Amino acid sequence: MNSNLIDSIKNLSKINNKNIVDIRHHLHANPELSFQEFETSKYVKIALENIGISKIEHKANTGLVALIEGKNPSVKTIALRADMDALPIKELNNVAYKSKNEGVMHACGHDVHTSCLLGAAQILFSLRNEFEGTIKFIFQPGEEKLPGGASMMINEGVLKNPDANAIIGQHVMPLIPVGKVGFKSGLYMASTDELYVKVIGKGGHGAMPQLNIDPVVIAAQIIISLQQIVSRMSSPIIPSVLSFGKVIANGATNVIPNEVIMEGTFRTLDEKWRLEAHDKMVKMATMIAESMGGKCEFEVRKGYPFLHNDETLTAKAKQHAIEFLGPENVIDLDIWMAAEDFAYYSQIIPACFYRLGTRNEEKGIVSSVHTPTFDIDENALEIGSGLMAYLAIRELAYN
Ligand code: NI
């Protein structure tokens, strides 16, 4: 425990807080969709330059990577990551910083992640003579859209030169009250794959099924049967979920259509099982269709891998968070079956992805991410900036 360090970081984040709130308001009011973060990227670059940071590089078009070197910069490098993209949602909040870009909204808190990382950069720049090693700030595009900005940044060498020894990222969590943060060691978030299925039969009059091949019944059979992959063929200790949210059979009460379109998602937390499950789904669906006289085209579009929080790094980060926020403000989380492209970093180097509480029931701030009324209690900004800075310094100083 280093109480002087904690005091000076808390003091710096307090002094800088108005600036970070302003930055968040600007980003929130000017959201940009995945891979189109041109103005956001310019704005973040200027903010980094205003801090005094000179080592800034562009990656993956709209992505940025910046370095702050402490004493003996080559000793160790810690990467801190934020995502910058917004979602195609029309904002319904009536706030002064409401989105000015109609139909686009920071509804997943990436404005918060970006402003907190700028806040952490401000603090760490002030303290650069107090730590050893290098801190790499990653502002990535396109978290919300395949192939994921993280994979593009990695392909362009974001984790290299200097090589990052570990990476830390944070994400807003409206289920957790503001003031608290949450950690989950080991397996945390799911891989996600999109399923595009076309069941082909032979349409005709609903009164004469013997003359047709009914793709609706085939599709129904496939939906039910595929659930056995997650309930009977998957190990009970590996979480898996298979959901079809879109099924279109565009016939009529008395018309059997020619084909049925289905779209779904498959998520799990084991790479070997993930690939086996893909094979089983395709085989089962195709054979069911054939056995009933139809055909099935089954495409699996691979998304993000599962997110693994390194046990050692996460245990240390959690302990450091307890030092910074108090034990009552650090909670344990469960596996979360949503996906996140931070998973790509976690497949390469030790990673820790934790959650920043943003909920405030008294203020009515309770909406989920990806909804038109999502917002945060902005007290989270000071916590998110300060904690990020503290975690980075402690990871550098204590290894
Ligand atoms: Ni997000």
Side-chain angles (χ1 to χ4, degrees), residues 83 108 110 113 143-144 171 340 370:
D83 41 13
C108 196
H110 299 188
H113 312 155
E143 193 286 319
E144 299 285 359
H171 199 294
E340 159 65 54
H370 294 220

Side-chain angles (χ1 to χ4, degrees), residues 132-345:
E132 299 211 2
T134 298
I135 301 172
K136 183 179 277 204
F137 298 85
I138 298 174
F139 295 89
Q140 68 153 83
E143 193 286 319
E144 299 285 359
K145 194 170 180 184
L146 295 182
S151 67
M152 294 167 66
M153 296 288 278
I154 291 167
N155 287 341
E156 295 193 17
V158 75
L159 298 178
K160 303 262 166 226
N161 189 32
D163 292 1
N165 299 91
I167 185 164
I168 300 173
Q170 67 182 341
H171 199 294
V172 297
M173 175 63 104
L175 294 172
I176 303 177
V178 66
K180 295 183 191 291
V181 294
F183 288 85
K184 166 77 174 75
S185 181
L187 294 175
Y188 179 36
M189 292 175 72
S191 61
T192 176
D193 302 305
E194 295 177 352
L195 312 175
Y196 295 87
V197 185
K198 188 194 269 189
V199 178
I200 303 156
K202 184 169 156 285
H205 201 299
M208 288 165 270
Q210 76 280 14
L211 302 179
N212 313 317
I213 297 163
D214 186 349
V216 179
V217 177
I218 300 174
Q221 195 71 49
I222 289 172
I223 291 172
I224 298 296
S225 297
L226 288 185
Q227 285 305 322
Q228 291 172 38
I229 290 174
V230 293
S231 70
R232 302 288 81 189
M233 297 176 195
S234 165
S235 160
I237 59 170
I238 302 173
S240 296
V241 62
L242 171 65
S243 302
F244 282 97
K246 184 168 176 179
V247 179
I248 299 177
N250 208 7
T253 55
N254 54 0
V255 177
I256 292 171
N258 277 321
E259 59 184 41
V260 173
I261 302 291
M262 306 196 286
E263 293 178 11
T265 181
F266 175 70
R267 291 150 190 259
T268 188
L269 284 139
D270 181 282
E271 200 60 20
K272 184 166 167 278
W273 164 240
R274 179 187 185 192
L275 298 177
E276 280 172 28
H278 293 171
D279 276 353
K280 288 183 192 301
M281 283 189 279
V282 174
K283 199 168 188 182
M284 191 182 266
T286 316
M287 291 182 78
I288 287 170
E290 280 171 13
S291 73
M292 296 172 77
K295 272 196 290 191
C296 176
E297 295 168 8
F298 199 116
E299 185 198 348
V300 179
R301 246 178 251 173
K302 277 183 84 178
Y304 304 155
F306 67 88
L307 194 159
H308 178 262
N309 278 329
D310 181 78
E311 284 82 355
T312 310
L313 179 68
T314 305
K316 281 191 284 179
K318 186 183 163 192
Q319 182 52 39
H320 298 154
I322 288 171
E323 293 168 9
F324 194 75
L325 297 173
E328 68 284 7
N329 290 322
V330 179
I331 62 172
D332 287 316
L333 300 175
D334 225 330
I335 282 173
W336 187 250
M337 293 304 280
E340 159 65 54
D341 83 345
F342 186 84
Y344 282 112
Y345 305 112

Side-chain angles (χ1 to χ4, degrees), residues 357-379:
T358 55
R359 185 185 190 85
N360 188 328
E361 297 213 14
E362 281 169 22
K363 294 186 194 166
I365 300 170
V366 295
S367 293
S368 302
V369 290
H370 294 220
T371 66
T373 51
F374 171 74
D375 203 356
I376 64 152
D377 183 320
E378 289 192 322
N379 288 328

